[in-house]
Amino acid sequence: MTAQIIERNTASFNKVDVDTITLDIIENALRNAREEMDATLFRAAMSPGIREQGDAFPLIADRGGKMIVGQFGSFIDGFLRGYDGTIEEGDMFWLSDPYSCEGAVSHNNDWLILRPIFRDGRLSAWACMFGHMTDIGGKVPGSLPTDALSIFEEGIRIPPIKIFKKDELQEDILKLVLHQTRMPEWCRADLHAVIASCRVAEKRVNEICDRFGDDVFAGATDELLERNKRAMGHLLNTTVSEKKVSFEDYVCDDGRGYGPYKIKCAMWREGETVILDFEGTDPQAMGSINFYLNENMLKMFFGIYMVMVFDPQIMFNDGFYDLVDVRIPEGSLLKPKFPAALSCRTHALGRIFDVLGALLGQGQPEFLNAAGFSSSPHLMFSGNREDTGEWFQLFQIGFGGIPGRPWGDGPDGHSLWPGFTNVPNEFLERYFPLRITEYTSIPDSGGPGLNRGGNGILMTYEFLNRGIISIHDDRWFTAPWGVNGGEPGARSTKILRRADGSERVLPSKCDNVEVEKGDRLDYITWGGGGWGNPLKRAPELVALEVERGLISRVGAADNYGVKVNDDFTIDEARTKALREEIKHKFDESQIFNFGPGIEETRANCMAETGLPAPVAPRW
């Protein structure tokens, strides 16, 4: 049974022609409303993950649930098929369980609010947003256990329920849910901030309808979707071949000692329809790296990548979804069967961007990006303050190197998601018992290339209070690959330096690591792969980056064939000789440079990383 929409007014909207000026006004009013949703959220939320970093995603959709403006694609289609109750004026819905909405949200920490917008008894639009909650209960602080075997270990699962009925808050439901979390004050504030953001969107939609009329608003949303479909249809026909291409990449391990796990996708076009087929992707993992990938979410990933690479002027929305056919095998890493654990899905989620980029670039290598910072590494630190006994809990997302690109270098120390920002060190030191002793770009960690991959980051935390930490990261085993002659980027690592002078390399996925006052954690993220032959990079630019600390003198010589003097001038003669000497290292005929193969990497793993190699998974 699917959701039943109750409308007092069953009259259809009249079809009207919307002139281009009115269409532009409505489009930009909706864009502004979407930005206002973010602004409202950031001012009202309490957790640093939302308030400082922006780990929340809004959308405004048409009456059918198709996203008109937003960032993460529409959540509404999966909700409508997973919810078996009524949708009435004055309702507001709350959910977090991925299995109850076909993966419209992808782990329990993401709390989704959906507000149907009724006018004159008819459903006219939707306002929705989800945000990542710092803690929702479960076996570890942060609710993201790296060793979970089922979703039941990952905190409270909220099925689609009405948090408001007839615009009246259901206090008992809220109390029940907040009782499960270690951070009820933050979760309450963050939830109400998400709700307030949806109400702001509802208000702006009503203002647009009041100004132009309900029929014009309905016609405008239809045309915005159709315009996107026309533009994307042209783009797909000109950039995606009927010839099948395929690519595979890996999530390094599952947090339980097994890996790597393969994500494979083939792409081709049949007429006007692009096929994305994940046949050959590994079966679901025993651990929590599974990603329940909603097909519409994958279409969004694909579409936004196409738009940003080929034509950023296209307004991104759900209008083109009929042009893409997504096929994901049941029981695979990307469509696991209930009750598979999902809390560490961010690594597979991010890796899909590398896979899509590789698929789209094979036919046109000049548009191909290297592999980059395709994940959202997490650090969780929690405990009781030694002076007051008060519980503290930090959830923070790390940044790293963006890939080298056709038009320039990858940014250093940036987020996978364009809208994310870092938590200021001053905020961390003010509200948590820790000190940031170093926060810097890591020289030479970006893959060498004509266009260099962005450098990873070294962030050193000094703990001023005993507690426990959890780490979620990847790309410690397989390296971010380079393209068109570019070299792979450096891998990630995490080193815990004890106050007593001992040190330990930590796994990329671990929980319940005890730390004492005075211990330090070097949190090192990976660099982006390089684009193009490094020997074609201007020596003057290499010397400048040596001066700026982005490349070392040794790296300049070994990777770029540039001899930089002590005063940062270039030794022209030695540079010419060096480039001739090392030119055999770089092969522009190979589109992808993955570095050593899986088995060679496995054999050298302990020596290179300080960690044992993951064991090949068996099913």
Side-chain angles (χ1 to χ4, degrees):
M1 180 178 177
T2 57
Q4 182 183 4
I5 299 173
I6 307 298
E7 295 179 293
R8 292 184 290 104
N9 181 354
T10 59
S12 300
F13 291 96
N14 295 318
K15 291 195 173 185
V16 296
D17 292 328
V18 182
D19 63 84
T20 56
I21 294 176
T22 301
L23 187 65
D24 283 348
I25 292 172
I26 292 175
E27 174 188 340
N28 285 285
L30 289 171
R31 287 178 186 264
N32 289 339
R34 176 248 186 272
E35 296 294 334
E36 195 175 355
M37 292 175 76
D38 281 340
T40 302
L41 181 78
F42 301 154
R43 284 169 172 80
M46 286 185 66
S47 69
I50 293 180
R51 183 182 183 88
E52 300 295 331
Q53 299 212 266
D55 191 359
F57 297 88
L59 73 85
I60 300 173
D62 75 345
R63 61 197 177 278
K66 291 185 176 181
M67 184 187 77
I68 305 299
V69 292
Q71 186 173 350
F72 220 81
S74 180
F75 330 115
I76 300 167
D77 185 59
F79 158 73
L80 290 174
R81 284 200 294 268
Y83 176 62
D84 60 0
T86 61
I87 297 172
E88 304 176 61
E89 191 166 359
D91 287 344
M92 186 176 283
F93 297 89
W94 181 20
L95 67 93
S96 72
D97 175 24
Y99 290 108
S100 68
C101 59
E102 300 180 355
V105 291
S106 53
H107 65 174
N108 292 340
N109 287 72
D110 288 339
W111 283 5
L112 170 61
I113 292 293
L114 305 100
R115 173 67 167 182
I117 301 173
F118 284 82
R119 288 181 56 82
D120 190 27
R122 292 185 296 185
L123 180 61
S124 295
W126 292 81
C128 311
M129 177 180 274
F130 75 79
H132 179 101
M133 300 296 137
T134 295
D135 189 280
I136 56 165
K139 64 186 291 187
V140 296
S143 316
L144 302 171
T146 59
D147 63 348
L149 296 176
S150 81
I151 197 169
F152 297 112
E153 301 174 69
E154 299 174 339
I156 188 167
R157 299 164 52 224
I158 306 171
I161 56 174
K162 295 183 181 183
I163 186 62
F164 281 85
K165 292 181 181 179
K166 300 187 186 302
D167 285 323
E168 183 174 325
L169 177 64
Q170 305 302 291
E171 289 279 3
D172 288 347
I173 292 176
L174 182 58
K175 288 179 181 178
L176 176 65
V177 172
L178 294 179
H179 194 66
Q180 315 306 314
T181 170
R182 297 173 180 86
M183 301 295 291
E185 296 85 2
W186 281 12
C187 287
R188 181 188 294 272
D190 290 355
L191 178 65
H192 281 298
V194 172
I195 290 170
S197 299
C198 291
R199 292 200 180 278
V200 165
E202 178 181 26
K203 180 179 181 181
R204 299 300 176 237
V205 168
N206 280 324
E207 289 172 350
I208 295 170
C209 291
D210 288 342
R211 178 178 179 184
F212 295 102
D214 295 352
D215 293 332
V216 171
F217 179 80
T221 57
D222 288 343
E223 176 55 29
L224 290 171
L225 291 167
E226 183 60 31
R227 190 173 68 179
N228 172 270
K229 184 176 181 178
R230 291 193 300 269
M232 287 293 293
H234 175 74
L235 193 59
L236 295 175
N237 282 327
T238 56
T239 58
V240 179
S241 171
E242 294 180 345
K243 179 182 177 181
K244 181 185 290 189
V245 295
S246 66
F247 190 80
E248 59 189 51
D249 206 341
Y250 297 87
V251 176
C252 292
D253 73 298
D254 63 358
R256 301 181 60 85
Y258 296 94
Y261 287 81
K262 179 173 63 179
I263 297 175
K264 182 176 182 178
C265 187
M267 179 183 72
W268 70 96
R269 181 170 52 82
E270 295 180 359
E272 294 185 347
T273 302
V274 172
I275 314 298
L276 295 169
D277 188 349
F278 285 89
E279 186 68 35
T281 294
D282 277 346
Q284 67 189 64
M286 182 184 297
S288 58
I289 60 168
N290 302 294
F291 176 31
Y292 188 5
L293 178 56
N294 178 275
E295 283 81 358
N296 282 346
M297 185 184 294
L298 191 278
K299 292 176 184 180
M300 182 278 299
F301 291 162
F302 177 73
I304 200 166
Y305 195 98
M306 292 284 295
V307 167
M308 296 307 296
V309 170
F310 295 107
D311 192 350
Q313 297 305 311
I314 295 176
M315 178 187 176
F316 180 74
N317 61 39
D318 286 358
F320 74 97
Y321 281 8
D322 291 344
L323 303 177
V324 181
D325 179 11
V326 176
R327 303 171 184 176
I328 306 173
E330 292 284 341
S332 70
L333 189 73
L334 302 181
K335 193 170 286 293
K337 295 179 180 178
F338 178 82
L342 305 173
S343 58
C344 295
R345 95 290 186 229
T346 185
H347 312 301
L349 185 160
R351 198 70 71 252
I352 284 172
F353 282 95
D354 285 341
V355 171
L356 290 177
L359 288 171
L360 288 165
Q362 288 185 49
Q364 297 174 290
E366 66 274 15
F367 286 107
L368 179 63
N369 287 340
F373 198 59
S374 48
S375 189
S376 294
H378 302 337
L379 173 70
M380 279 74 80
F381 173 43
S382 59
N384 294 99
R385 292 184 182 270
E386 295 174 358
D387 51 354
T388 65
E390 180 185 4
W391 177 260
F392 66 87
Q393 189 170 331
L394 170 66
F395 162 78
Q396 184 182 11
I397 299 171
F399 298 160
I402 300 299
R405 301 165 291 175
W407 51 87
D409 296 343
D412 304 303
H414 206 281
S415 168
L416 164 69
W417 304 108
F420 278 17
T421 56
N422 66 305
V423 180
N425 293 345
E426 296 81 1
F427 182 98
L428 292 172
E429 295 177 344
R430 170 65 179 83
Y431 291 103
F432 300 95
L434 55 78
R435 181 182 298 120
I436 307 301
T437 61
E438 192 166 7
Y439 186 29
T440 185
S441 167
I442 306 169
D444 302 327
S445 58
L450 168 62
N451 296 326
R452 177 177 60 80
N455 281 339
I457 285 177
L458 164 62
M459 193 167 185
T460 300
Y461 300 82
E462 180 182 357
F463 302 109
L464 306 180
N465 197 108
R466 70 180 306 176
I468 61 172
I469 62 172
S470 293
I471 291 173
H472 286 222
D473 198 12
D474 207 56
R475 283 295 194 202
W476 69 275
F477 181 71
T478 63
W481 32 268
V483 297
N484 298 332
E487 293 288 295
R491 295 174 289 183
S492 67
T493 190
K494 310 293 177 285
I495 304 172
L496 181 60
R497 305 183 190 277
R498 298 291 190 183
D500 63 9
S502 62
E503 62 181 56
R504 170 190 171 197
V505 177
L506 295 178
S508 73
K509 302 169 186 68
C510 57
D511 290 312
N512 294 319
V513 178
E514 295 183 359
V515 294
E516 301 290 338
K517 183 176 181 179
D519 291 349
R520 296 189 180 199
L521 174 67
D522 288 346
Y523 199 106
I524 298 169
T525 60
W526 72 80
W531 190 97
N533 191 334
L535 300 185
K536 294 182 178 180
R537 190 171 179 86
E540 295 79 13
L541 181 55
V542 175
L544 178 63
E545 293 197 321
V546 170
E547 184 175 2
R548 291 175 173 175
L550 300 174
I551 299 174
S552 69
R553 280 188 170 81
V554 172
D558 291 349
N559 299 323
Y560 295 94
V562 177
K563 172 61 175 156
V564 181
N565 299 317
D566 291 344
D567 62 355
F568 302 109
T569 59
I570 300 167
D571 184 328
E572 301 281 356
R574 183 62 183 138
T575 293
K576 183 177 180 180
L578 264 178
R579 289 195 156 183
E580 182 64 26
E581 181 182 327
I582 66 174
K583 67 180 182 181
H584 67 280
K585 292 171 51 178
F586 307 105
D587 184 4
E588 293 183 61
S589 66
Q590 295 294 319
I591 297 179
F592 300 102
N593 182 350
F594 298 99
I598 295 295
E599 292 311 313
E600 182 180 348
T601 302
R602 206 187 298 277
N604 297 329
C605 188
M606 179 60 79
E608 293 178 352
T609 70
L611 295 170
V615 177
R618 295 180 179 180
W619 295 276

